Amino acid sequence: MAKKLMKGCEAIGEAAIRAGCKLFFGYPITPQNEIPEYMSHRLPQVGGAFVQAESELAASNMIYGAAACGERVFTSSSSPGISLMQEAMSYIAASELPVVVVNIMRSGPGLGGILPTQSDYAQATKGGGHGDYRVLSLAPWSVQEAADLVADAFDLADFYRTPVYVLGDGLIGQMMEPVEFPEDRKPLRPLPPKTWATTGWRGDRPRAVVNSLFLDPIKCEQQNAKLQARYAQMRAEEVRSAYYGDEGDLDVLVVAYGTVARVTLTAMEDMKATGLKVGMLRPITVWPFPRDALAEAAERAKAILVAELSCGQMLEDVWLSTASMRPVHFLGHQGGVLLAPEEVSAAIRDVAAGRSAEVRYAG
Amino acid sequence: MFEDRVTVLVGHFGSGKTEVAVNGAIRLAEGGARVALADLDLVKPYFRSRAGRELLAAAGVDLVAPEGDDAGDLPIVLPRVRTLCADPEVRVVIDAGGDDTGARALGSLSDLLGRLGVGFDLVLNFRRPFTPDVDSAVAMAREIEAAARLRVTGVVSNTHLMGQTTPAIVLEGCALARETAGRLGVPLAAAVVEERMRDAVDEAALGCPVFPVRRLVQPPFDQEGYRVPRSGPLFRVL
């Protein structure tokens, strides 16, 4: 297929369809409406079904039901809508069901605004709903990577029987870039048949029951242990990050993800002539967080600069990963204001020159 | 292109209406005209003409778009659009929203626009997913005409892949746009060519006037030689 010029939202929709997703349940919210729009147009063409639910609560419980039946299913929303879905996310995680949820983040708290932020990082990586669970969270920095990660998200969800987030800021959903879809993509992992799916009992296997209620404390603890074992496997096998910049000792190591990493890369190119040694670690999985890769890069750096479109959420994971071995500085915007390349390069220069104050508390 | 006093740009969302509108309005203003750019995009919240408020103000273009903190997501056609369209002293460029949904807002102006005899140009990018071929482009033109209650008067070829555009992509898109124009019974008004590519594109082979543009509608990290002076606008700023 020839390269297309697609909005992130359109590419996400197309990638889901190519991953075999035939079901979309959702509720509109800016800035991700082009995803349901795209799915409502395309799903009937491939024999699928699109339902605009009456609310995000309904949509998230519809994906819960569809996943229980063994179907590839996804929904998308933006920050306030994702908050409404958190009850179902906890139930889906507890019930060990594979779903893909795309969050095109806008500003908050509350209704906030419609412009890009990364301020749902904590919600995505620390749980979001009640109980001890984690959601594998993938954070693309381009339209192409958004499409690729959506395809991966379906495989990872099926393999681990878990919800998977694709976490993009508003710009990822709204900007247009060239994108292509591989014709011969293979699953990331061999995917076993879904013998647990509630497709009707015909006496040829134990009855499939989808459940998140465990009144017996021993059984509830065992279910928690089962989930934790899976999260441990994800931490061991699914961490993804990318490193850019100087390979030797660094004046400043920047940690940034999503479009902020794109801005940072532009800033790094602009400041090559300054002679400063700069590197960037870009988490691609924000959960599990690339702790080892970060610690390794931090050892080569005099100081760390965290740049994100929030008051400082990933910042805490950077502290945890580096155990205060290096001073950490912060650059952020909130409310939908973007970071400009000059701001990032100015912050890098300030950190290198000792003109920036170390931060000790996240916002 | 932009020969009528009032030019309306329509097309699929993401076809490049805003890029053509902003470049065209700035060019008209540089030529000494009094220019108003009406942002009628009621469809999408990002990458609209109104994001280039400062850029347009610097060029002397009167941007007509909802203002104020809470107007960002409201579907409003300002009454000034009608006033300006009726003013014989003003050149007006109307940047409509995408698809028939976006063109519907034009229906409220169709009595005036129909009477004035405006340029109603269909902007086409055949690398966009919903207009991959001539049949889909013609079908979309008909849907837009029905929603706007106006007839397309010209086709603007704008096939590109942002930074990955090649001369071959421009020519291939232009051939499809010419065929679309033929099917619609209107002229191929212009082919959009980025200024940086003008030497590389065989303009004689396009068979229509070239409309040179600088790509302005881009996220801040994709700039070449331009800098965003402050955060906020989802545009590069000259």
Side-chain angles (χ1 to χ4, degrees), chain A residues 2-6 10 30-31 38 41 114-116 170 174-176 178 262 266 270 333 337-338 342-343, chain B residues 13-14 44-47 73 125-130 132 160-162 164 219-223 227-228 231 234:
Chain A
K3 266 192 189 177
K4 294 279 180 198
L5 184 63
M6 295 181 97
E10 296 165 344
T30 305
Y38 193 90
H41 178 87
I114 59 174
L115 292 175
Q174 291 292 321
M175 68 184 181
M176 291 198 295
R262 294 280 286 275
T266 304
D270 292 346
H333 271 306
V337 180
L338 294 174
E342 306 86 330
E343 285 178 278
Chain B
F13 73 83
K44 68 183 191 311
Y46 287 37
F47 299 108
D73 214 11
N125 181 348
F126 285 98
R127 290 296 184 126
R128 293 281 296 136
F130 288 134
H160 70 91
L161 276 180
M162 296 282 193
Q164 295 181 27
F221 46 79
D222 262 352
Q223 310 155 55
R227 283 295 164 262
V228 182
S231 304
L234 302 175

Side-chain angles (χ1 to χ4, degrees), chain B residues 19-20 80 99 101 104 113 136 157 159 174 186 211 230:
Chain B
E19 195 76 85
V20 173
R80 270 189 74 217
D99 294 2
T101 317
R104 188 153 292 128
L113 298 178
S136 56
S157 175
T159 295
C174 192
V186 300
F211 184 74
R230 61 173 190 80

Side-chain angles (χ1 to χ4, degrees), chain A:
Chain A
M1 182 182 121
K3 266 192 189 177
K4 294 279 180 198
L5 184 63
M6 295 181 97
K7 275 193 166 197
C9 284
E10 296 165 344
I12 285 166
E14 184 62 29
I17 286 168
R18 283 166 183 262
C21 171
K22 293 265 170 58
L23 299 169
F24 182 96
F25 309 105
Y27 189 79
I29 182 170
T30 305
Q32 62 80 53
N33 286 323
E34 292 84 349
I35 298 175
E37 176 80 11
Y38 193 90
M39 298 310 277
S40 68
H41 178 87
R42 284 280 282 130
L43 278 172
Q45 295 174 350
V46 296
F50 168 90
V51 175
Q52 180 170 322
E54 67 267 35
S55 68
E56 286 88 348
L57 267 69
S60 55
N61 283 289
M62 286 175 185
I63 65 166
Y64 183 12
C69 298
E71 297 290 328
R72 280 202 157 178
V73 60
F74 98 115
T75 189
S76 65
S77 190
S78 180
S79 312
I82 297 290
S83 291
L84 284 165
M85 293 179 176
Q86 290 307 319
E87 181 197 45
M89 294 300 291
S90 172
Y91 281 54
I92 291 167
S95 305
E96 304 170 65
L97 293 176
V99 297
V100 173
V101 177
V102 176
N103 180 3
I104 302 297
M105 293 179 278
R106 58 186 256 177
S107 58
L111 273 176
I114 59 174
L115 292 175
T117 73
Q118 298 177 321
S119 53
D120 302 345
Y121 179 96
Q123 182 190 58
T125 61
K126 312 295 176 191
H130 60 282
D132 275 313
Y133 75 97
R134 298 286 181 161
V135 178
L136 210 163
S137 301
L138 305 162
W141 78 334
S142 68
V143 173
Q144 182 68 60
E145 192 175 53
D148 296 343
L149 291 181
V150 165
D152 292 353
F154 279 99
D155 291 344
L156 292 167
D158 278 347
F159 184 76
Y160 289 101
R161 293 177 58 187
T162 185
V164 176
Y165 279 133
V166 175
L167 203 61
D169 57 74
L171 209 46
I172 288 288
Q174 291 292 321
M175 68 184 181
M176 291 198 295
E177 290 189 312
V179 58
E180 59 190 335
F181 298 92
E183 296 296 345
D184 52 352
R185 189 181 173 279
K186 304 274 185 297
L188 279 183
R189 305 268 182 285
L191 299 174
K194 296 178 175 180
T195 51
W196 45 263
T198 55
T199 52
W201 188 67
R202 287 170 294 276
D204 55 350
R205 62 171 192 190
R207 287 179 191 275
V209 177
V210 169
N211 175 44
S212 75
L213 178 67
F214 300 92
L215 290 172
D216 177 346
I218 302 301
K219 285 187 178 156
C220 196
E221 188 173 54
Q222 284 168 349
Q223 182 65 8
N224 268 280
K226 192 174 171 191
L227 295 178
Q228 290 300 320
R230 222 169 268 163
Y231 302 146
Q233 191 184 348
M234 291 182 213
R235 282 194 189 92
E237 294 177 20
E238 303 304 341
V239 179
R240 298 191 201 184
S241 66
Y243 178 80
Y244 311 82
D246 283 292
E247 294 297 334
D249 288 347
L250 299 172
D251 292 305
V252 181
L253 171 69
V254 184
V255 188
Y257 70 101
T259 59
V260 179
R262 294 280 286 275
V263 173
T264 302
L265 201 64
T266 304
M268 287 166 64
E269 281 162 18
D270 292 346
M271 61 190 308
K272 269 187 181 149
T274 64
L276 283 176
K277 300 286 180 207
V278 183
M280 171 171 67
L281 186 89
R282 176 172 77 94
I284 298 171
T285 50
V286 285
W287 195 90
F289 192 75
R291 296 179 75 150
D292 294 341
L294 175 55
E296 201 177 301
E299 279 194 24
R300 298 190 276 121
K302 289 185 191 135
I304 297 169
L305 173 66
V306 176
E308 54 180 325
L309 298 178
S310 76
C311 295
Q313 297 192 11
M314 179 175 67
L315 182 57
E316 293 185 346
D317 278 332
V318 173
W319 278 322
L320 287 170
S321 306
T322 57
S324 302
M325 63 195 261
R326 296 290 180 269
V328 176
H329 303 254
F330 181 71
L331 174 67
H333 271 306
Q334 304 86 38
V337 180
L338 294 174
L339 278 165
E342 306 86 330
E343 285 178 278
V344 177
S345 52
I348 291 170
R349 281 195 300 272
D350 286 348
V351 170
R355 290 191 299 264
S356 164
E358 188 181 341
V359 288
R360 293 182 179 278
Y361 296 95

